Amino acid sequence: WSASEEQIYAAAPRTALPNAYDIPAPGAPQVTEDLYVTRDGGGLKVLARINWEASPSGFVAQYQLQARQGGIGDWIDHGRTDGTTLEIRDIAPGAWAFRVKAISVLAYVNEF
């Protein structure tokens, strides 16, 4: 290796490959509600079905759904999925705020 080789490597073009740490956020969560009756006769319950647009990155391994009631307080984890839909059964009545995080194969997180 010589000093002249250093100049050759430094002048080489940069890659155009995608960056695994540059994960675009998934789409905004869309919520639909359904009512259901439990098998054990526990009564009428509420099911929230949350959908979102997938992140356009090929490096996304999973999505994590979080929610908080009334839009205040700590975010509560409601699971992870490799799809774009999650259901929350027996959700408490009231106004809820939802967010979805895209988790890359390298465990890097980007959220909406």
Side-chain angles (χ1 to χ4, degrees):
W1 193 82
S2 69
S4 62
E5 290 176 317
E6 179 182 6
Q7 293 172 349
I8 294 171
Y9 295 125
R14 300 294 177 230
T15 181
L17 293 173
N19 185 346
Y21 294 103
D22 187 18
I23 304 291
Q30 305 295 318
V31 183
T32 57
E33 294 180 11
D34 289 318
L35 299 175
Y36 68 98
V37 178
T38 61
R39 282 189 243 168
D40 63 358
L44 196 60
K45 307 275 182 167
V46 178
L47 166 77
R49 184 173 292 114
I50 299 93
N51 300 306
W52 57 89
E53 292 282 328
S55 174
S57 173
F59 292 107
V60 174
Q62 292 183 323
Y63 297 96
Q64 180 177 11
L65 176 67
Q66 294 182 329
R68 62 182 177 185
Q69 193 168 13
I72 57 173
D74 294 332
W75 290 98
I76 302 167
D77 289 334
H78 284 283
R80 290 184 178 191
T81 182
D82 56 357
T84 57
T85 301
L86 266 177
E87 295 180 347
I88 303 173
R89 296 187 177 274
D90 196 17
I91 192 168
W96 285 83
F98 295 95
R99 71 180 181 183
V100 178
K101 295 180 177 184
I103 302 172
S104 78
V105 294
L106 301 174
Y108 177 75
V109 176
N110 196 353
E111 65 189 67
F112 174 80

